[in-house]
Amino acid sequence: DPETMTTAIARGNPAWPTRETVQDYAAAAASLKRGLERLDRERREAPQGAAYHDFLERMAHLGLGWLHANQAQHTEALVHFENILEHRPDDLLANLGRGNSLMGLQRMAEAEQQLSRVLQIDPNNPYARAELGSIYLSRGDIEHTAQNCTTISYLRGNRPLPISTARLTAGRVSRVG
């Protein structure tokens, strides 16, 4: 039934913290997978709920992607983020999750492209800007790092960030030296 399907997906999704998601990733993943199985059955039996089913499928795949990413299982996480992007290429959360997992796999050029895609969708996204800033910093590109930090600072109402251009430069020097 739809309530049971919804409950299974909600219980396992890290966006809605429950005992399962906070304490036991395996139980959370099992709950999400049960929800997807029920969703498949429901789609066959009641195709009139397509929009609701699409929403639940998206939430389940986002949840599984985040669960895998939180455990540094980025290859597995990519499968779930890419599942969403096949049908919804402009999905902000799936694009961001894919970018983060690409970073976790040290595929920085791809991550940069993915995070730039996030900024096409949401030019002020502070998470994408912060991740891009860290990519630029890892390359020693202080100028682009500082630009992203300045943008984030502006978006935060000009409150200072915990990192400054001087600290970025010092960090680069200490890394290189």
Side-chain angles (χ1 to χ4, degrees):
D1 73 287
E3 186 173 6
T4 304
M5 172 182 57
T6 304
T7 303
I9 291 172
R11 272 196 191 124
N13 199 309
W16 301 304
T18 64
R19 181 170 306 222
E20 288 91 349
T21 58
V22 171
Q23 297 179 354
D24 187 351
Y25 283 128
S31 184
L32 286 164
K33 289 175 184 176
R34 280 193 314 274
L36 280 172
E37 289 169 5
R38 291 178 183 145
L39 177 62
D40 285 341
R41 261 194 326 269
E42 178 72 19
R43 273 197 168 128
R44 287 189 302 272
E45 296 169 6
Q48 69 276 11
Y52 181 62
H53 296 151
D54 289 346
F55 169 77
L56 287 177
E57 182 176 31
R58 176 178 174 253
M59 290 297 101
H61 281 290
L62 282 172
L64 286 164
W66 292 328
L67 286 171
H68 286 297
N70 288 343
Q71 298 173 82
Q73 298 168 350
H74 297 292
T75 301
E76 294 87 348
L78 285 175
V79 170
H80 295 286
F81 297 131
E82 290 169 357
N83 180 289
I84 297 165
L85 293 171
E86 281 179 35
H87 307 287
R88 297 174 52 118
D90 291 337
D91 188 284
L92 182 70
L93 296 175
N95 275 288
L96 190 56
R98 185 173 187 275
N100 288 334
S101 285
L102 289 167
M103 286 181 69
L105 293 169
Q106 299 300 308
R107 292 165 48 184
M108 296 305 186
E110 291 174 80
E112 181 181 5
Q113 289 177 337
Q114 193 70 49
L115 294 165
S116 294
R117 175 73 183 119
V118 171
L119 293 179
Q120 289 173 352
I121 298 165
D122 178 8
N124 295 325
N125 189 287
Y127 303 105
R129 290 208 176 272
E131 296 292 21
L132 279 169
S134 73
I135 290 172
Y136 297 138
L137 181 61
S138 73
R139 294 180 186 155
D141 185 345
I142 302 304
E143 181 180 337
H144 281 104
T145 302
Q147 286 173 355
N148 278 285
C149 288
T150 300
T151 301
I152 295 168
S153 179
Y154 172 75
L155 294 172
R156 293 179 68 208
N158 288 319
R159 292 188 310 263
L161 289 174
I163 191 164
S164 67
T165 304
R167 287 177 64 195
L168 292 174
T169 305
R172 180 180 180 276
V173 170
S174 66
R175 280 184 168 187
V176 173

